[in-house]
Amino acid sequence: MSNKFISNWFYSSLGKYDVEKGIFKKTTEQHHSQRYVDFDEFSEQLRKMYEDYDSEGYDVVNVIPIQMGQSEQSIAKTKELISQSNYLGDVGFSITRGAVVIGKRRD
């Protein structure tokens, strides 16, 4: 006998952005952002989980987001003295990095 409810989860990669380096010989480096996830990967994983549940005879009844907390330093630079900066404190934020998906067996 199979379970009436099932659950599974997924976690998506951080988003990426390009940064140009160099003055004469410019190159591009990819960096991971701490502020957003790869939304294409996130939506594909969620879609696949819905299809897997459907093929196993379950309906999705709940999707619970998985949050990831981050913080960054907040630094103020003065216009007159570019080299001078003041630490103002940390700024906290969170991003939805994944989800727990709950399914219920069809009767």
Side-chain angles (χ1 to χ4, degrees):
M1 179 175 178
S2 63
N3 294 331
K4 184 172 183 174
F5 292 93
I6 60 170
S7 66
N8 206 343
W9 64 277
F10 66 91
Y11 202 59
S12 295
S13 303
L14 291 172
K16 297 177 186 170
Y17 62 96
D18 294 333
V19 175
E20 285 190 357
K21 295 284 184 178
I23 297 172
F24 298 110
K25 254 187 143 176
K26 289 190 176 190
T27 60
T28 303
E29 293 180 355
Q30 256 193 355
H31 292 268
H32 287 86
S33 171
Q34 296 297 316
R35 294 185 170 238
Y36 63 92
V37 299
D38 183 340
F39 294 111
D40 292 331
E41 179 184 336
F42 187 95
S43 63
E44 178 61 24
Q45 287 177 314
L46 188 58
R47 181 198 61 76
K48 185 177 181 326
M49 196 163 291
Y50 267 69
E51 288 183 357
D52 290 347
Y53 278 24
D54 184 55
S55 68
E56 294 173 18
Y58 288 86
D59 290 325
V60 173
V61 293
N62 203 355
V63 178
I64 305 159
I66 298 173
Q67 303 275 321
M68 181 179 83
Q70 296 285 349
S71 67
E72 291 180 348
Q73 290 183 350
S74 180
I75 298 174
K77 295 184 179 181
T78 59
K79 272 187 173 180
E80 298 80 26
L81 301 169
I82 301 288
S83 62
Q84 184 179 357
S85 60
N86 295 320
Y87 172 73
L88 301 176
D90 284 1
V91 177
F93 59 94
S94 64
I95 61 175
T96 301
R97 186 79 188 266
V100 176
V101 182
I102 309 295
K104 182 180 179 184
R105 187 180 66 236
R106 290 186 206 110
D107 292 328

